[in-house]
Amino acid sequence: MDDVIDRLFSLSGPWWEFLLRGIVVYVAVLVLVRIVGKRTVGQYTPFDMIVVVLLGTAVQNSLIGEDVSLIGGLMIAATLLGLNWLVGFFGARYRAFDAFVEGRPVVLARDGTVFHDQLRRQSVSEEDLAIALRKADCHQAADIRLAMLETSGEITVLKCERPEAGAGRGLPEH
């Protein structure tokens, strides 16, 4: 019984190593996700979900090393949650920091014109845009006033406002 308790609460290295591992892995994964783009974060396909699960598995040993203690795991979890809170804290107060971490929204289409080069650059498929258009009740490209890839990875679409047939033309209403 003492052996089990010892494994649960005894760290395999100095406490600061766990904090350092958490910080390095958090920053590295944040930078990699930022490089890969918004779509990875905002619109999970089954393939994307597999990548996220495998990413967690891939960095597991980098985070915890050889340690299997309860304390080590809790220290890593606290470090990651603390870093996540700090990123949110500074992002809410410093626009430049938020832009670096979150990125900026990207225009995918405007006034009926779809920017196919932006779709490719942002790894957004034509089908992803078509789904967003259907959700916004846009039936054709001409219906688009603005389509944006938000920093969350979501595609938002503003539909052109067209007057109803006959409205505003001085035609009598029946």
Side-chain angles (χ1 to χ4, degrees), residues 105-119:
V106 176
V107 177
L108 300 177
R110 177 176 281 143
D111 298 326
T113 302
V114 176
F115 305 127
H116 296 281
D117 58 327
Q118 277 293 20
L119 292 176

Side-chain angles (χ1 to χ4, degrees), residues 31-64:
V31 168
L32 289 172
V33 167
R34 195 58 190 93
I35 290 169
V36 169
K38 296 174 191 76
R39 184 182 167 276
T40 301
V41 177
Q43 298 176 343
Y44 285 133
T45 65
F47 175 76
D48 295 328
M49 186 59 80
I50 290 169
V51 170
V52 169
V53 170
L54 293 176
L55 182 61
T57 303
V59 300
Q60 175 185 357
N61 286 342
S62 298
L63 284 170
I64 204 76

Side-chain angles (χ1 to χ4, degrees), residues 73-145:
L74 292 174
M75 285 178 68
I76 293 292
T79 300
L80 295 174
L81 290 171
L83 287 169
N84 198 51
W85 181 85
L86 280 173
V87 166
F89 178 84
F90 286 113
R93 285 161 180 75
Y94 303 102
R95 187 175 295 202
F97 182 81
D98 187 57
F100 173 75
V101 173
E102 296 288 334
R104 296 271 186 220
V106 176
V107 177
L108 300 177
R110 177 176 281 143
D111 298 326
T113 302
V114 176
F115 305 127
H116 296 281
D117 58 327
Q118 277 293 20
L119 292 176
R120 283 189 296 277
R121 195 173 298 125
Q122 300 299 321
S123 300
V124 175
S125 71
E126 300 273 341
E127 184 58 28
D128 288 339
L129 181 61
I131 291 168
L133 293 177
R134 287 192 295 273
K135 286 180 181 177
D137 197 31
C138 289
H139 302 289
Q140 56 189 357
D143 293 336
I144 304 169
R145 187 173 88 205

